[in-house]
Amino acid sequence: MIDQCKLIEFPQNGDERGHLVIVEGNQDIPFEIKRVFYIYGSNKDVIRGRHANYNSEFVLINVAGTSKVKVDDGTNQKIFNLDRPHIGIYLPKLVWKDMYDFSDDSVLLCLASEHYDAKEYIRDYATYLEIMGKR
Ligand code: TYD
């Protein structure tokens, strides 16, 4: 499952006026976008996320600054660097994710396939491992 976590390079339509990056639901990313949220003002030593989702898929884009995303499927782990505004990471459902190492200017844009529902979040790692059949 960790192999389904993939960096996506979005089309850029920049010209002499500057950059313009396009992210179309169901085209540049593999789901329809139902929710958008963004994270900024997190200190370098903060770890956010620390959860998995039963239903939601996500694409994360550092539209400003940089951060790292560690993904974990209970067996394998992988670290992605979000360091350019036209690069995103696709996260399938049921992947555990930590976001960390935020730069001072980091604005992490999150596109989600589902509306917010607290019940579809798995926030306890031991429970996650049980769900993934690892305990
Ligand atoms: P949280 O899931 O802890 O953020 P992250 O995983 O990105 O660090 O969310 C922080 C709070 O905001 C928590 O009380 C749930 C709430 N929240 C919503 O109400 N709607 C949303 O779409 C999101 C992402 C969070």
mmCIF file of all heavy atoms in Angstrom, residues 2-24:
data_model
loop_
_atom_site.group_PDB
_atom_site.id
_atom_site.type_symbol
_atom_site.label_atom_id
_atom_site.label_comp_id
_atom_site.label_asym_id
_atom_site.label_seq_id
_atom_site.Cartn_x
_atom_site.Cartn_y
_atom_site.Cartn_z
ATOM 1 N N ILE A 2 2.037 1.169 0.618
ATOM 2 C CA ILE A 2 2.903 2.338 0.680
ATOM 3 C C ILE A 2 3.277 2.815 -0.735
ATOM 4 O O ILE A 2 3.494 3.998 -0.976
ATOM 5 C CB ILE A 2 4.167 2.032 1.532
ATOM 6 C CG1 ILE A 2 4.588 3.258 2.313
ATOM 7 C CG2 ILE A 2 5.332 1.520 0.710
ATOM 8 C CD1 ILE A 2 3.812 3.456 3.547
ATOM 9 N N ASP A 3 3.291 1.874 -1.678
ATOM 10 C CA ASP A 3 3.624 2.223 -3.066
ATOM 11 C C ASP A 3 2.549 3.071 -3.729
ATOM 12 O O ASP A 3 2.791 3.687 -4.770
ATOM 13 C CB ASP A 3 3.842 0.962 -3.903
ATOM 14 C CG ASP A 3 5.078 0.219 -3.447
ATOM 15 O OD1 ASP A 3 5.937 0.850 -2.804
ATOM 16 O OD2 ASP A 3 5.168 -0.991 -3.711
ATOM 17 N N GLN A 4 1.356 3.081 -3.130
ATOM 18 C CA GLN A 4 0.295 3.932 -3.686
ATOM 19 C C GLN A 4 0.471 5.398 -3.278
ATOM 20 O O GLN A 4 -0.187 6.274 -3.843
ATOM 21 C CB GLN A 4 -1.075 3.454 -3.206
ATOM 22 C CG GLN A 4 -1.474 2.111 -3.778
ATOM 23 C CD GLN A 4 -2.772 1.642 -3.132
ATOM 24 O OE1 GLN A 4 -3.717 2.406 -2.947
ATOM 25 N NE2 GLN A 4 -2.813 0.382 -2.759
ATOM 26 N N CYS A 5 1.321 5.658 -2.281
ATOM 27 C CA CYS A 5 1.638 7.043 -1.902
ATOM 28 C C CYS A 5 2.627 7.581 -2.936
ATOM 29 O O CYS A 5 3.735 7.066 -3.041
ATOM 30 C CB CYS A 5 2.274 7.105 -0.517
ATOM 31 S SG CYS A 5 1.232 6.456 0.782
ATOM 32 N N LYS A 6 2.187 8.577 -3.669
ATOM 33 C CA LYS A 6 3.009 8.988 -4.804
ATOM 34 C C LYS A 6 3.132 10.499 -4.890
ATOM 35 O O LYS A 6 2.171 11.221 -4.651
ATOM 36 C CB LYS A 6 2.339 8.523 -6.103
ATOM 37 C CG LYS A 6 2.623 7.071 -6.442
ATOM 38 C CD LYS A 6 2.279 6.849 -7.908
ATOM 39 C CE LYS A 6 2.465 5.457 -8.431
ATOM 40 N NZ LYS A 6 2.886 4.399 -7.630
ATOM 41 N N LEU A 7 4.322 10.944 -5.286
ATOM 42 C CA LEU A 7 4.481 12.357 -5.609
ATOM 43 C C LEU A 7 3.799 12.634 -6.950
ATOM 44 O O LEU A 7 3.883 11.815 -7.868
ATOM 45 C CB LEU A 7 5.966 12.719 -5.715
ATOM 46 C CG LEU A 7 6.724 12.899 -4.408
ATOM 47 C CD1 LEU A 7 8.181 13.218 -4.700
ATOM 48 C CD2 LEU A 7 6.121 13.991 -3.536
ATOM 49 N N ILE A 8 3.128 13.758 -7.028
ATOM 50 C CA ILE A 8 2.490 14.175 -8.280
ATOM 51 C C ILE A 8 3.056 15.533 -8.655
ATOM 52 O O ILE A 8 3.115 16.437 -7.822
ATOM 53 C CB ILE A 8 0.959 14.333 -8.114
ATOM 54 C CG1 ILE A 8 0.336 13.054 -7.569
ATOM 55 C CG2 ILE A 8 0.310 14.715 -9.437
ATOM 56 C CD1 ILE A 8 -1.159 13.201 -7.251
ATOM 57 N N GLU A 9 3.473 15.666 -9.905
ATOM 58 C CA GLU A 9 3.925 16.970 -10.395
ATOM 59 C C GLU A 9 2.775 17.602 -11.172
ATOM 60 O O GLU A 9 2.285 17.026 -12.142
ATOM 61 C CB GLU A 9 5.159 16.794 -11.290
ATOM 62 C CG GLU A 9 5.782 18.112 -11.643
ATOM 63 C CD GLU A 9 7.179 17.945 -12.246
ATOM 64 O OE1 GLU A 9 7.761 16.851 -12.159
ATOM 65 O OE2 GLU A 9 7.652 18.938 -12.822
ATOM 66 N N PHE A 10 2.326 18.759 -10.723
ATOM 67 C CA PHE A 10 1.166 19.388 -11.342
ATOM 68 C C PHE A 10 1.571 20.254 -12.529
ATOM 69 O O PHE A 10 2.677 20.794 -12.551
ATOM 70 C CB PHE A 10 0.409 20.242 -10.320
ATOM 71 C CG PHE A 10 -0.124 19.438 -9.183
ATOM 72 C CD1 PHE A 10 0.382 19.597 -7.905
ATOM 73 C CD2 PHE A 10 -1.109 18.481 -9.404
ATOM 74 C CE1 PHE A 10 -0.093 18.830 -6.858
ATOM 75 C CE2 PHE A 10 -1.588 17.708 -8.359
ATOM 76 C CZ PHE A 10 -1.072 17.878 -7.096
ATOM 77 N N PRO A 11 0.641 20.400 -13.484
ATOM 78 C CA PRO A 11 0.934 21.248 -14.637
ATOM 79 C C PRO A 11 1.173 22.696 -14.207
ATOM 80 O O PRO A 11 0.473 23.196 -13.332
ATOM 81 C CB PRO A 11 -0.332 21.149 -15.500
ATOM 82 C CG PRO A 11 -1.213 20.131 -14.878
ATOM 83 C CD PRO A 11 -0.685 19.789 -13.524
ATOM 84 N N GLN A 12 2.153 23.314 -14.808
ATOM 85 C CA GLN A 12 2.443 24.726 -14.520
ATOM 86 C C GLN A 12 2.157 25.539 -15.771
ATOM 87 O O GLN A 12 2.578 25.167 -16.862
ATOM 88 C CB GLN A 12 3.916 24.903 -14.152
ATOM 89 C CG GLN A 12 4.268 24.350 -12.794
ATOM 90 C CD GLN A 12 5.741 24.513 -12.509
ATOM 91 O OE1 GLN A 12 6.572 23.825 -13.075
ATOM 92 N NE2 GLN A 12 6.061 25.448 -11.648
ATOM 93 N N ASN A 13 1.446 26.617 -15.581
ATOM 94 C CA ASN A 13 1.116 27.482 -16.704
ATOM 95 C C ASN A 13 1.722 28.858 -16.495
ATOM 96 O O ASN A 13 1.076 29.862 -16.737
ATOM 97 C CB ASN A 13 -0.407 27.625 -16.834
ATOM 98 C CG ASN A 13 -0.930 26.853 -18.019
ATOM 99 O OD1 ASN A 13 -0.168 26.152 -18.671
ATOM 100 N ND2 ASN A 13 -2.205 26.987 -18.306
ATOM 101 N N GLY A 14 2.951 28.868 -15.995
ATOM 102 C CA GLY A 14 3.584 30.150 -15.716
ATOM 103 C C GLY A 14 3.958 30.872 -16.995
ATOM 104 O O GLY A 14 4.108 30.279 -18.050
ATOM 105 N N ASP A 15 4.075 32.160 -16.874
ATOM 106 C CA ASP A 15 4.609 32.975 -17.962
ATOM 107 C C ASP A 15 5.377 34.134 -17.331
ATOM 108 O O ASP A 15 5.702 34.072 -16.149
ATOM 109 C CB ASP A 15 3.492 33.437 -18.918
ATOM 110 C CG ASP A 15 2.356 34.146 -18.183
ATOM 111 O OD1 ASP A 15 2.643 34.791 -17.144
ATOM 112 O OD2 ASP A 15 1.200 34.047 -18.613
ATOM 113 N N GLU A 16 5.646 35.160 -18.106
ATOM 114 C CA GLU A 16 6.486 36.249 -17.582
ATOM 115 C C GLU A 16 5.830 36.962 -16.394
ATOM 116 O O GLU A 16 6.483 37.665 -15.638
ATOM 117 C CB GLU A 16 6.848 37.242 -18.703
ATOM 118 C CG GLU A 16 5.703 38.026 -19.311
ATOM 119 C CD GLU A 16 4.823 37.199 -20.253
ATOM 120 O OE1 GLU A 16 5.215 36.055 -20.579
ATOM 121 O OE2 GLU A 16 3.745 37.678 -20.636
ATOM 122 N N ARG A 17 4.529 36.698 -16.168
ATOM 123 C CA ARG A 17 3.844 37.340 -15.043
ATOM 124 C C ARG A 17 3.993 36.555 -13.748
ATOM 125 O O ARG A 17 3.643 37.020 -12.678
ATOM 126 C CB ARG A 17 2.352 37.482 -15.363
ATOM 127 C CG ARG A 17 2.070 38.385 -16.547
ATOM 128 C CD ARG A 17 0.629 38.254 -16.985
ATOM 129 N NE ARG A 17 0.331 36.873 -17.355
ATOM 130 C CZ ARG A 17 -0.904 36.372 -17.457
ATOM 131 N NH1 ARG A 17 -1.942 37.125 -17.202
ATOM 132 N NH2 ARG A 17 -1.074 35.109 -17.810
ATOM 133 N N GLY A 18 4.464 35.304 -13.871
ATOM 134 C CA GLY A 18 4.615 34.483 -12.666
ATOM 135 C C GLY A 18 4.109 33.076 -12.899
ATOM 136 O O GLY A 18 3.842 32.678 -14.034
ATOM 137 N N HIS A 19 3.939 32.344 -11.812
ATOM 138 C CA HIS A 19 3.585 30.917 -11.898
ATOM 139 C C HIS A 19 2.107 30.697 -11.623
ATOM 140 O O HIS A 19 1.503 31.401 -10.820
ATOM 141 C CB HIS A 19 4.401 30.114 -10.884
ATOM 142 C CG HIS A 19 5.870 30.266 -11.070
ATOM 143 N ND1 HIS A 19 6.546 29.661 -12.095
ATOM 144 C CD2 HIS A 19 6.792 30.969 -10.369
ATOM 145 C CE1 HIS A 19 7.826 29.977 -12.012
ATOM 146 N NE2 HIS A 19 8.000 30.772 -10.968
ATOM 147 N N LEU A 20 1.567 29.685 -12.277
ATOM 148 C CA LEU A 20 0.186 29.292 -12.026
ATOM 149 C C LEU A 20 0.153 27.761 -12.091
ATOM 150 O O LEU A 20 0.560 27.166 -13.098
ATOM 151 C CB LEU A 20 -0.737 29.910 -13.084
ATOM 152 C CG LEU A 20 -2.241 29.739 -12.866
ATOM 153 C CD1 LEU A 20 -2.997 30.899 -13.530
ATOM 154 C CD2 LEU A 20 -2.755 28.430 -13.430
ATOM 155 N N VAL A 21 -0.261 27.148 -11.001
ATOM 156 C CA VAL A 21 -0.277 25.678 -10.919
ATOM 157 C C VAL A 21 -1.727 25.224 -10.891
ATOM 158 O O VAL A 21 -2.555 25.810 -10.186
ATOM 159 C CB VAL A 21 0.464 25.186 -9.657
ATOM 160 C CG1 VAL A 21 0.373 23.674 -9.525
ATOM 161 C CG2 VAL A 21 1.915 25.634 -9.689
ATOM 162 N N ILE A 22 -2.013 24.185 -11.642
ATOM 163 C CA ILE A 22 -3.397 23.729 -11.805
ATOM 164 C C ILE A 22 -3.577 22.360 -11.172
ATOM 165 O O ILE A 22 -2.788 21.444 -11.412
ATOM 166 C CB ILE A 22 -3.749 23.656 -13.301
ATOM 167 C CG1 ILE A 22 -3.542 25.038 -13.946
ATOM 168 C CG2 ILE A 22 -5.181 23.176 -13.497
ATOM 169 C CD1 ILE A 22 -3.081 24.975 -15.365
ATOM 170 N N VAL A 23 -4.609 22.243 -10.327
ATOM 171 C CA VAL A 23 -4.950 20.948 -9.736
ATOM 172 C C VAL A 23 -6.440 20.725 -9.959
ATOM 173 O O VAL A 23 -7.274 21.354 -9.303
ATOM 174 C CB VAL A 23 -4.650 20.918 -8.218
ATOM 175 C CG1 VAL A 23 -4.918 19.526 -7.657
ATOM 176 C CG2 VAL A 23 -3.219 21.341 -7.933
ATOM 177 N N GLU A 24 -6.782 19.862 -10.894
ATOM 178 C CA GLU A 24 -8.189 19.575 -11.171
ATOM 179 C C GLU A 24 -8.570 18.223 -10.594
ATOM 180 O O GLU A 24 -7.884 17.222 -10.839
ATOM 181 C CB GLU A 24 -8.434 19.588 -12.690
ATOM 182 C CG GLU A 24 -8.218 20.976 -13.293
ATOM 183 C CD GLU A 24 -9.294 21.362 -14.300
ATOM 184 O OE1 GLU A 24 -10.441 20.904 -14.151
ATOM 185 O OE2 GLU A 24 -8.948 22.114 -15.223
#
